[in-house]
Every structure is written in structure tokens, then in C-alpha cells.
Amino acid sequence: MNNRVYIFDTTLRDGEQSPGASLNVAEKIEIARQLERLGVDVIEAGFPISSPGDFQAVQEVSRIVRNATVCGLTRAVLKDIDVAAEALKGAVKPRIHTGLGVSDSHLQHKLKMSREQAMQRGVDAVRHARNLVAEVEYFLEDSARADIDYLCRVIEAVIDAGATVINIPDTTGYSTPDEYGARIRTVMERVPNIDKAVVSAHCHNDLGMAVANSIAAVMNGARQVECTVNGIGERAGNTSLEEVVMALKVRHDFYGFETGIVTQEIYKTSRMVSNLTGILVQPNKAIVGANAFAHSSGIHQDGVLKERTTYEIIDPRDVGISESKILLSARSGRHALAHRLSELGYELKDDQMERIYERFLKVADSKKMVYDEDLQAIVADETSTVKISYELLHVQVSAGDHSLPTATVQLRGPDEQIITDAAHGTGPVDAIYKAINRIIDVDNELIEFSIQAVTEGIDALAEVTIRIRQVNDIYTGRSAHSDICVASAKAYMQALNRLLDRVTQGSRTKTFEQV
Ligand code: KIV
Ligand code: ZN
């Protein structure tokens, strides 16, 4: 038996049945183009009789797609089949996907038909479809819960009628891998004409086993897998395309199957489907989730930086992600921090690195993730070459709409003395600056104060930039902190230290940036 597995993508049909996922025709075309780049074998573009929009989508996709087979779904109703054939007219390789329920539950409650009536309806539908297109796929809805003898009889009859692909869906996501695999094996062994058709797995994910069930089907003789990008679909969704494809690729040593998927297009396709359907991908989703290639714990980061494969079984480039992410958080170690800083272009001495690491840990404690912009602000602060005459040890502010803004500051002075003072002002920053001025008594005029969030979110670092003037000289101070008041105090201290440095040296020197 050959080892090529055909990928039948039903994102635009079963996937679009996800609550709230409806796509317009233009969006379906955009996705179909991308599915073709991804290399899927079959694109199920819609259910043409269900709405004018679905008809148009199947028609347009048929016109545009040149390499993949384009498929339209129908009930086992002659009118549906005629409409689907009409929509598929422009396709290079058109396929009609028709079928009917086979479980007793579907026959009794939904179809209200006997087994024989349903089988005849299926046979008639396939014959009719085969007069219109060369490829006819027959789905036996709720196969996983159907009587196995009846299932095999229907399959034999519809293949005799001309079906070229037999879809054995686990419509309700009820099967386990062993059961579903065994069912496929029974069909392969018991249906005498099964060699005239390709057997297809179509699994739903109600018990989280759709991918495992699909792979079990392949191991037992199925050669087509029906799936959706990001696993979207009715209820808990369908088999996830990216998971089944990457499982077969990464574990080729074990399974030995091939698909025609250009795996480097996976991530892009996933993003497109998520953006257009509005269905977010859970962060821990295998292959395409935001965390699928992100390393958070210090031990893992250290391992991945030494050798990627210590904690990664997939090269992210194989799915179109440029590199794994080292997420800097409170759990990150010095190695991960140093690596990121060197990627950002910083060459730091050991003592600077140590101070930056201490600062980094403080920032990481107050917010979950530390971003590049946070690091840049910390490095700028810590690598400043200004001589520190006064160091800010502590700042505390009280402010509010009915209180007088008051600040207390504590500084370490040139002779190591600790000085504390307080002041009130028109606002908290004004109060801080006045309190600092009470300790460092040098004439200056604040000529510029600006504040900016350097990262996103409520816990972002605030970067404060100030300029002060003394006579004709202007001195800049810049600092970042998650507390605006602390950043303001530190920025002011930096500008004052620059001023004092200049005054003590008596001339402008290269050791500080004079603005
Ligand atoms: O889940 C299912 O049984 C289906 C069929 C219509 C193929 O989606
Ligand atoms: Zn389905």
C-alpha cells in the first residue's frame, strides 16, 4: 500500500460551521489561495445549495484554484448535487461530496428512514453525481456509532455506484483511537471492492482525540485525512491540519507516511484563518500557539540556548516561524538575559551585567514579561557614565483629588550621608522635585518633562525624559520604572548628577552626554 496521505481541507466548510466564524466570499478566496500555497490536496469550499454566498464561494474558488481538487458538499439529494456541479464547473479537478447518515440514531431520529431506503438514496445520489463529475466522495455520517455490518454494505454499494472516495466520519467525536482504527481496518478487510476507492478519516474533537483518531485511521488503511486549519469546526472542532501533518512529518521514523504539505506555510495559514474567522488560537495550541516555541523556565532557556533540541522536537522554521522565543520573566536566568542583550547589540562588562540582572529581576517581579524595550531602558539607565553625587534611595508620594500632593525622598549624599526630606507641590512630580531640591540645593530650571510607556499594557514601564537648564547649559535625565513617580524622581536625579558632575569638573567632559 502506498504511503502518501492526502490532505482534505474543510476549513471553508466544516471549519466555517464554528460558531461565529462566518466568512464572506472574498475572505474564502483569500484562504483558498493560501491553502493552495500550503499544498493541500483537496479544498472543500462550501455547501453550494445552502446559500447564495456558499454557491458563489465554491464557484470563485473553483475558478481560482488550479492545483488542488475543489470540492462542494451536498446532501444525498439530486437537486443539491446539480447545484454543486454547477458551482464546480470552472474547477480543474471538481469533486462532489455527498452522503447520508448510517447510524441507527440518525436513521430513526433525523432521517426517519429504514436502512434499505437510506442505502438506496445513497446509491442514487452517487450515480447521479458520477454523471456530472469524475470524483465523487461519499460520507457515511455518524459512521463511528453505526452497525459495522450495515456500514460495510453501504460502502460496497456506493463504490459499485461509482464513489471514488469513502468518508467514514466520527461525526460526534465519540471514538477512541483503537476503536476508530479497528473500524477502518474492518472496512479495509471486509468490503470486497474497497481497493477501488480511497478511504478517508473525518474526525471531530469532542473528546480531544480527533488527531489521534485520524492517525489511527491512517495506520489502518485510510489515505485521506479531513481536517481544518487550527482545528476549527462544529462544537469542539475537527482534526487540526497542522497537528496531523506535523505528527506525520516529525514522527516519520515511526509512521512512515508522507503528505504534500509545504509545512513552512503552516504558521502563515494559521494566522490568516484566525484573523479572518476571529477565532483566536489558544496560546498553548500545538504547532501554532503563541507558546508552542516559547521557553519560559530558566532551566529550559539555558538548555535551548546551549542546544535547541534539548527542549524542542520541531524546528520552528519548519512551520514558518523564524525562531523560538526566549520569554524573559522572573524565571529567566542570567544566561537567557545575556543572550537577549547580546542579540540586541549590547556588549556589557560583568559588573554592568550583574547590575542589569538585578534591575531586570525587579522589573520581572512587578510585571509578567520583560520586553526588549524594557531591557533597553534598563541598560540605558545602568550604563550611564555620569558620576553619581547623590543617589536616590527612596521616594514616597501621597496624592489624590482631595489631598495636597506630598513627597518624601531619601538620598545618599557624596560623603555617604543619608538625607531625608519632604515637600508638597502642585502635583506628585512637582512635590518630588521640590523635596529633592531641598536636599540638593542647586539652581536649575526644568524646561522639559515627557513621559512615555515603553511597552504595552497596564504594567508597562514608563520612561521619563527631562531636561533642566542652568544658565546656558542643558542637562538631560532619563529613567524607566513601572511607577511613574519613581521614574520621574530617577530622571531628575540623573539630570542633577550630570549638572553636578559638570560643575565639579569645571568643564564639559566626554564622560557624559551634554545636550
Ligand atoms: O462530521 C460529519 O459527519 C460531516 C459530514 C457532513 C462529512 O461533516
Ligand atoms: Zn464534520
Side-chain angles (χ1 to χ4, degrees):
M1 206 168 187
N2 84 50
N3 63 355
R4 170 71 154 82
V5 175
Y6 297 101
I7 298 297
F8 176 114
D9 180 274
T10 182
T11 306
L12 299 179
R13 200 278 298 169
D14 220 342
E16 210 226 6
Q17 288 176 217
S18 307
S22 102
L23 296 162
N24 63 32
V25 175
E27 291 165 337
K28 285 192 175 183
I29 291 169
E30 199 179 332
I31 292 176
R33 285 190 202 278
Q34 180 57 27
L35 289 173
E36 209 177 18
R37 282 191 284 272
L38 181 66
V40 305
D41 298 289
V42 185
I43 298 174
E44 186 164 52
F47 183 1
I49 198 141
S50 68
S51 71
D54 254 44
F55 181 90
Q56 204 194 337
V58 175
Q59 199 173 39
E60 292 293 315
V61 172
S62 300
R63 208 171 46 75
I64 287 157
V65 165
R66 298 290 88 181
N67 300 320
T69 294
V70 180
C71 179
L73 186 79
T74 81
R75 294 169 296 181
V77 172
L78 304 191
K79 174 87 170 99
D80 281 29
I81 295 169
D82 290 338
V83 171
E86 180 62 26
L88 290 164
K89 241 185 192 157
V92 177
K93 289 183 265 179
R95 180 184 295 184
I96 288 177
H97 188 190
T98 190
L100 201 60
V102 274
S103 67
D104 287 337
S105 159
H106 276 230
L107 291 173
Q108 283 162 23
H109 304 301
K110 192 176 98 172
L111 302 169
K112 304 196 189 308
M113 277 183 201
S114 69
R115 287 182 175 181
E116 296 314 310
Q117 282 170 327
M119 184 156 71
Q120 191 54 50
R121 174 86 86 85
V123 166
D124 292 344
V126 171
R127 279 212 187 98
H128 187 66
R130 262 316 285 271
N131 287 330
L132 302 169
V133 292
E135 286 184 34
V136 175
E137 174 166 340
Y138 192 80
F139 68 83
L140 301 105
E141 198 179 10
D142 206 15
S143 285
R145 295 190 299 171
D147 174 69
I148 189 73
D149 296 330
Y150 176 62
L151 181 71
C152 289
R153 278 206 297 128
V154 179
I155 294 173
E156 185 182 350
V158 295
I159 293 176
D160 273 346
T164 54
V165 182
I166 295 297
N167 178 7
I168 304 181
D170 178 14
T171 305
T172 56
Y174 179 72
S175 264
T176 68
D178 285 349
E179 254 179 329
Y180 192 61
R183 191 154 276 248
I184 301 290
R185 166 104 359 239
T186 305
V187 167
M188 300 305 295
E189 287 171 357
R190 292 242 300 256
V191 176
N193 53 1
I194 198 70
D195 58 317
K196 298 201 171 54
V198 172
V199 171
S200 184
H202 179 114
C203 298
H204 280 265
N205 204 30
D206 299 64
L207 292 176
M209 293 196 275
V211 171
N213 286 344
S214 301
I215 291 177
V218 170
M219 290 178 80
N220 285 283
R223 286 295 175 272
Q224 177 177 280
V225 172
E226 308 200 359
C227 44
T228 60
V229 175
N230 300 335
I232 63 171
E234 194 81 44
R235 305 184 309 279
N238 290 59
T239 298
S240 142
L241 180 149
E242 56 281 0
E243 290 180 25
V244 89
V245 166
M246 289 312 290
L248 294 179
K249 178 169 171 149
V250 173
R251 296 311 313 275
H252 187 269
D253 59 323
F254 182 76
Y255 295 122
F257 295 107
E258 321 279 347
T259 71
I261 296 296
V262 182
T263 59
Q264 292 73 11
E265 292 290 325
I266 283 179
Y267 187 63
K268 192 172 161 200
T269 317
S270 162
R271 296 303 318 143
M272 180 187 285
V273 169
S274 174
N275 290 339
L276 295 179
T277 58
I279 300 178
L280 300 179
V281 175
Q282 74 194 58
N284 58 322
K285 163 94 174 57
I287 318 297
V288 290
N291 295 343
F293 297 97
H295 303 278
S296 174
S297 94
I299 292 173
H300 287 211
Q301 292 178 343
D302 183 54
V304 165
L305 290 171
K306 285 175 175 150
E307 167 53 43
R308 187 187 62 75
T309 55
T310 52
Y311 287 100
E312 263 180 14
I313 58 160
I314 304 170
D315 184 336
R317 286 167 301 191
D318 276 353
V319 295
I321 295 174
S322 56
E323 57 181 11
S324 1
K325 262 192 284 173
I326 298 291
L327 298 178
L328 292 175
S329 69
R331 292 185 297 278
S332 300
R334 285 177 176 76
H335 188 173
L337 178 64
H339 176 80
R340 187 70 201 126
L341 288 170
S342 98
E343 280 180 346
L344 290 173
Y346 294 112
E347 280 174 32
L348 298 160
K349 298 193 197 88
D350 287 351
D351 61 322
Q352 286 176 322
M353 190 60 220
E354 226 14 69
R355 285 201 312 274
I356 288 166
Y357 184 62
E358 292 308 318
R359 284 278 304 273
F360 159 78
L361 286 180
K362 283 187 190 141
V363 173
D365 267 346
S366 64
K367 53 188 295 200
K368 288 191 197 105
M369 286 300 155
V370 182
Y371 300 101
D372 289 350
E373 293 82 351
D374 297 324
L375 293 182
Q376 281 155 345
I378 296 171
V379 174
D381 236 22
E382 287 299 334
T383 54
S384 162
T385 52
V386 179
K387 178 170 171 276
I388 309 291
S389 304
Y390 287 87
E391 185 188 355
L392 180 75
L393 297 179
H394 174 71
V395 55
Q396 186 184 318
V397 191
S398 144
D401 59 350
H402 292 298
S403 64
L404 187 64
T406 310
T408 305
V409 297
Q410 190 172 69
L411 310 185
R412 191 195 327 266
D415 302 321
E416 295 293 308
Q417 76 275 31
I418 309 287
I419 317 148
T420 305
D421 215 324
H424 58 80
T426 51
V429 175
D430 185 48
I432 292 168
Y433 285 17
K434 285 194 169 125
I436 292 173
N437 286 344
R438 285 173 61 86
I439 301 172
I440 310 173
D441 184 20
V442 301
D443 268 355
N444 75 83
E445 182 193 357
L446 180 67
I447 57 169
E448 193 183 317
F449 177 93
S450 75
I451 185 159
Q452 176 182 13
V454 291
T455 45
E456 285 172 17
I458 195 78
D459 57 0
L461 279 199
E463 187 175 67
V464 172
T465 306
I466 68 157
R467 288 184 215 286
I468 58 175
R469 178 163 50 206
Q470 191 188 52
V471 195
N472 293 323
D473 294 331
I474 295 172
Y475 305 89
T476 302
R478 185 174 295 146
S479 187
H481 198 277
S482 47
D483 184 315
I484 293 168
C485 292
V486 178
S488 304
K490 292 177 100 178
Y492 188 44
M493 290 297 299
Q494 195 182 72
L496 283 177
N497 276 313
R498 284 190 159 138
L499 185 157
L500 294 169
D501 195 15
R502 161 80 201 290
V503 170
T504 50
Q505 291 190 32
S507 66
R508 293 179 179 187
T509 71
K510 289 194 219 100
T511 55
F512 60 88
E513 174 202 7
Q514 183 88 41
V515 183

